[in-house]
Amino acid sequence: MEELLADAGEMADAPSNIFSMFNNADIKFPEIKDENGEEVQITHGRYIRLLESTDRRVRQEAFQGFYAAYRSFKNTLAASFSSNVKQEVFFAKARKYPSTLAMALDGGNIPVEVYTNLIAAVHDHMDLMYRYVELRKKLLGIKELHMYDLYTPLVTDVHMEVPFEEAKKIVAKGLEPLGEEYHGILEEGFHNRWIDVYENENKRSGAYSWGAYGTHPYVLLNYNNTLDNVFTLAHEMGHAIHSYYSDHVQPYIYAGYKIFVAEVASTCNEALLIDYMLKNTEDKKEKAYLINHFLDKFKGTLFRQTMFAEFEMITHRMVEEGESLTAENLCKIYHDLNVLYFGKNVIIDPEIDMEWARIPHFYTAFYVYQYATGYSAAIALSRRILKEGKPAVEDYVHFLSGGSSDYPIELLKGAGVDMSTKEPVNQALSLFSELLDQMESILE
Ligand SMILES: [Zn+2]
């Protein structure tokens, strides 16, 4: 049986391969005029930047042009999406899983409730998202909020120059609640050249933490003196120190941590840092900038990824129940989800109905929910650390030291966060609510 399933493996990869050829090589997007009136071709790389434009015409044309390209292949894309779901169903049946969802979660021994509770908890708090879009509409000063108005920054960059030396001090201060030992490791990293700090010729962009068992972690940054970069430093040091603890405590085989918990340590650091910075900033504009930074993360990580997760759950269930997926019903399901997640005060432009067709992660089924659960766990942990201090920190360090020595849910339970309940998601959303309150009061 396993031999036959293995032989079917390459065929089963076909939908994903076809989509990736289409999406990376064949699809062509139209040209639009940018802010300066110059012709610019939409590409995957440019799309988000165009959508963030402060010129509404630019983001509208980018949005329309981008989705028009996908729409002209809607039946092809529906066929490849649907075939991918079918191959999942085939393997789930062959291995006697009750569903494709159960199969996907089994690898990390994640109970299905973790997935369904996430969706249910977000549903319970949809009013918060509606409040956020109201605020966005007000701040942008527009009568109608369209789907192409969701990414343009609400608070224009606070031009605060933060030299790297200063950033290290701010991060160290912000992470003080994690105790002396953590602080010591942070300083060790700062003083022993763990970090490649500045942009350089032929250096890759972005930021990440990497390393090998038996050495200290390394961090790559492209530090550019912005406030955003300060958060990146806290984020990457979160990954680095997670690896540091796990490598020190675990044998090689259990040292690497799983995707489900990978973003917890990094996000927890960001949450601690923003708490510190908000408490130590009087400047209203800077405060608004900081809060906005976090509100956008909530929108993009907790709400958006949960909406994706729900789309995956609905479409897989349909195929499991013998229904077929067509361009029409995929667009309808996606449209209805957008109505639910953004509410009646946003114009759900018809172009967005095609968004499902361009998400590469949908070809790794039931993956993206981990962004939302990881985020929630991190926020819940940061609240506990701020509230309870020492005992919470001890549990947290134990979690950081756990690597993959236990299942992710168990490791998190040890740190005081039970992802099989709605509680951590509720806690994260209550922070979202607090930040909305603060933002509304600053702007009054
Ligand atoms: Zn990260």
Side-chain angles (χ1 to χ4, degrees):
M1 184 74 145
E2 280 298 336
E3 191 183 351
L4 192 64
L5 291 178
D7 283 345
E10 252 183 272
M11 280 191 290
D13 285 341
S16 162
N17 288 335
I18 292 167
F19 173 75
S20 110
M21 285 298 174
F22 170 83
N23 204 39
N24 297 320
D26 291 341
I27 191 170
K28 289 282 172 289
F29 301 104
E31 288 188 349
I32 62 161
K33 283 205 165 61
D34 71 5
E35 294 85 349
N36 308 315
E38 301 200 12
E39 290 280 334
V40 50
Q41 182 166 23
I42 305 169
T43 62
H44 284 295
R46 285 186 195 132
Y47 178 63
I48 272 296
R49 196 180 51 77
L50 291 167
L51 208 58
E52 285 170 355
S53 176
T54 48
D55 185 336
R56 203 176 189 202
R57 179 197 55 80
V58 172
R59 49 184 202 257
Q60 183 182 4
E61 285 180 13
F63 176 77
Q64 290 169 342
F66 190 64
Y67 284 113
Y70 282 101
R71 188 171 289 275
S72 59
F73 295 98
K74 65 175 184 178
N75 297 303
T76 308
L77 289 162
S80 92
F81 181 92
S82 156
S83 306
N84 191 56
V85 178
K86 279 182 186 161
Q87 65 87 13
E88 300 269 344
V89 173
F90 167 82
F91 284 102
K93 244 190 203 164
R95 294 212 164 88
K96 300 189 169 53
Y97 282 106
S99 66
T100 45
L101 178 60
M103 174 173 75
L105 301 191
D106 191 40
N109 200 33
I110 313 283
V112 169
E113 292 71 46
V114 171
Y115 199 95
T116 50
N117 278 338
L118 167 71
I119 294 172
V122 171
H123 278 198
D124 291 345
H125 296 87
M126 230 45 119
D127 57 309
L128 294 175
M129 191 62 192
Y130 304 161
R131 253 178 81 197
Y132 170 83
V133 292
E134 268 309 300
L135 186 69
R136 179 164 266 277
K137 194 153 109 181
K138 204 165 128 192
L139 284 175
L140 292 177
I142 46 183
K143 278 211 188 83
E144 288 185 341
L145 191 77
H146 282 263
M147 297 310 286
Y148 48 81
D149 296 322
L150 291 173
Y151 293 91
T152 188
L154 285 183
V155 184
T156 40
D157 260 9
V158 175
H159 288 294
M160 205 175 104
E161 286 277 313
V162 191
F164 190 61
E165 287 307 311
E166 184 65 24
K168 287 193 285 191
K169 282 185 200 143
I170 298 173
V171 170
K173 273 276 177 204
L175 301 184
E176 239 167 39
L178 292 173
E180 269 174 43
E181 187 184 82
Y182 195 96
H183 183 257
I185 301 169
L186 190 70
E187 291 294 332
E188 189 186 326
F190 284 167
H191 292 122
N192 290 287
R193 308 186 62 197
W194 289 12
I195 310 171
D196 185 336
V197 182
Y198 298 105
E199 194 176 359
N200 204 348
E201 211 179 313
N202 298 332
K203 178 174 163 180
R204 65 170 290 172
S205 61
Y208 63 82
S209 160
W210 205 250
Y213 191 78
T215 73
H216 64 70
Y218 290 86
V219 170
L220 176 139
L221 298 178
N222 279 279
Y223 194 83
N224 198 20
N225 296 349
T226 67
L227 202 50
D228 217 38
N229 289 168
V230 182
F231 280 95
T232 307
L233 174 64
H235 182 105
E236 297 308 331
M237 288 310 283
H239 286 308
I241 296 177
H242 190 181
S243 300
Y244 180 96
Y245 270 117
S246 284
D247 285 2
H248 270 76
V249 176
Q250 299 299 328
Y252 176 73
I253 195 163
Y254 294 133
Y257 39 83
K258 292 267 183 284
I259 292 287
F260 192 89
V261 296
E263 289 304 325
V264 171
S266 53
T267 310
C268 182
N269 278 6
E270 285 195 63
L272 294 173
L273 181 61
I274 196 162
D275 185 82
Y276 164 79
M277 289 179 88
L278 282 175
K279 281 179 186 147
N280 290 281
T281 310
E282 289 308 322
D283 186 83
K284 272 192 173 182
K285 200 157 180 220
E286 203 181 305
K287 257 195 170 152
Y289 180 86
L290 287 167
I291 297 172
N292 183 51
H293 175 92
F294 243 64
L295 292 178
D296 275 351
K297 279 232 160 153
F298 268 99
K299 171 176 68 106
T301 312
L302 193 44
F303 287 95
R304 182 172 165 82
Q305 304 299 333
T306 302
M307 185 176 84
F308 284 173
E310 189 167 3
F311 178 77
E312 290 187 90
M313 194 172 76
I314 295 170
T315 50
H316 279 73
R317 245 184 222 162
M318 285 171 67
V319 175
E320 282 161 359
E321 286 165 6
E323 282 182 66
S324 57
L325 296 174
T326 62
E328 278 64 39
N329 62 19
L330 287 166
C331 285
K332 167 130 194 1
I333 295 160
Y334 203 78
H335 182 90
D336 293 348
L337 283 171
N338 272 277
V339 173
L340 174 66
Y341 278 73
F342 290 103
K344 292 205 165 60
N345 288 326
V346 182
I347 313 286
I348 311 296
D349 305 273
E351 286 86 354
I352 202 69
D353 301 0
M354 280 306 297
E355 193 179 33
W356 58 268
R358 72 168 184 92
I359 308 295
H361 268 134
F362 285 161
Y363 288 82
T364 310
F366 304 116
Y367 180 88
V368 297
Y369 82 100
Q370 300 176 103
Y371 294 122
T373 48
Y375 192 79
S376 305
I379 300 291
L381 283 169
S382 73
R383 296 305 96 180
R384 190 177 166 225
I385 290 161
L386 288 169
K387 210 169 114 201
E388 293 174 30
K390 208 164 182 222
V393 171
E394 276 169 17
D395 291 345
Y396 182 62
V397 167
H398 188 73
F399 159 76
L400 294 179
S401 311
S404 55
S405 60
D406 202 344
Y407 290 119
I409 297 290
E410 300 308 318
L411 289 169
L412 282 169
K413 257 185 209 161
V417 175
D418 186 354
M419 293 308 295
S420 65
T421 69
K422 283 184 183 177
E423 203 35 45
V425 185
N426 286 341
Q427 275 182 37
L429 287 164
S430 80
L431 175 63
F432 185 63
S433 171
E434 276 170 40
L435 291 171
L436 278 169
D437 291 341
Q438 286 196 43
M439 191 71 154
E440 283 162 352
S441 76
I442 289 175
L443 299 166
E444 258 162 24

